[in-house]
Amino acid sequence: MIRAYLELFAGGAACALALMGGASVVPPVGYMGGKRRLAPNILGAAGLRVGGRAERVLLCDAGLWGEVWSEVVRDAPGLAARLIAWEGRDPSELWRSLAMAPRPEDPQERAAAYLWLQGRAASCTPVWWDTDGHASMARSASSGGGEQRIVGAVMPDPPRGSRSATSGIARPSTVALRILAAGRALAGARIDRQHPTAIEVSIWLGTPGDLSGVVVMLDPPYVGATRYEATCPREDVVALAYSYRACGATVIVCEAEALPELLALGWHGLDLRDGQAGKPEWLTCSHPPHHLARPQLALPLRRSA
C-alpha cells in the first residue's frame, strides 16, 4: 500500500474512488473528461491497482466538485438524504426547477443541487453557477467556448450531436447510493480547494521535503477543449507536476497529448487510445509506465518517441 495518493483537478475523482473502493465505487454522476473507464489503466501506469488502497488520500478541486467531496467526507448520509428527498419527481422537471432557482447558500444543499444538475446535463457538459448566482452550462469549444446562462424558461442550446440540454441519470436514489459508497471509500480523506505545494504535502505526511512512496495524478482542463468552471494554464500544470516529482513523488498528468515540456526532461508519454475512436488520451509519466489493467482499451500500446 502506498503512503498517499493525491488527485489534483479531481473532478469526479474516478481514479481515487477505484483505488480506495474497488471497481464498484464510481463517481456520483457523469462529468465531461471523467476517467471512470480509464481509471484502471491510469492506476496501472503508476504501478497501482483497483482496490489497492493508499494510507492517505488528498483530493483537490477548485470548482464545485471540491465542495461536493468536502460534503461527502463530512456527512455522506446527510448529502444522500438530500437526494433521496427528490425521489419520485420527474427528472427533467427537477432539473429545470433547480436550474431556475438561485444558487443555494447551504453547502450541503448546493452540493445536492449541483449533482443533479450535472448528472442530467447532456453529454456530461460542465454546469456551475456564475458570479451572479445563476446556473450556467459550458459552451463547447467548437461553438466558441465560454458559458451560457440558463435563464427563464429557455433551456440552453444542447451540445452538438444531442437533441436535448438534459439527459442522463434518472433517479436521485442512484446518486445517493453512489455518494454513500464514496463516503465509505474516502473516509478520512483530505479535501482542498487550492492546490497545496509539494512541500506542504510532505509536511502533512510527516516527511518534510520527501514524497517517496506517494503517487500524484493531475487531470487538468485540456488545452483547447470545452471549459470548466475553474481553469489552469499549461505552464502552471507543468510547474506543479515538476515540483511534486522534485520531492520524489511518482507523477502522472492526463492530457490530449504528451506534454513536450516534461518529455524534454525525460518523462514518458503513454497513448491510452492509440488512434482508436474517441478523443485523444495521453499520460505523461515521471517514471516508465508499469502496466495496463485493461489492455483492450489501448492496443497496441504506444509510447512517445
Side-chain angles (χ1 to χ4, degrees), residues 7 51 56 66 68 131 166 202 213 218 235 250 297:
E7 194 158 329
R56 304 178 81 171
V68 167
T131 54
T166 67
S202 69
L218 295 85
E235 56 266 28
T250 296
L297 295 182

Side-chain angles (χ1 to χ4, degrees), residues 57-122:
V57 171
L58 186 155
L59 302 181
C60 181
D61 195 285
L64 285 160
W65 277 109
E67 294 191 17
V68 167
W69 294 125
S70 292
E71 291 302 314
V72 167
V73 172
R74 184 186 68 85
D75 182 14
L79 179 57
R82 297 265 187 175
L83 274 297
I84 291 293
W86 294 331
E87 190 74 3
R89 291 184 60 175
D90 177 84
S92 295
E93 181 279 327
L94 175 59
W95 193 93
R96 286 191 292 268
S97 175
L98 294 172
M100 299 308 120
R103 175 181 181 270
E105 292 300 319
D106 178 76
Q108 191 177 82
E109 180 184 355
R110 186 163 59 248
Y114 168 70
L115 285 171
W116 193 252
L117 290 173
Q118 184 61 66
R120 289 285 299 171

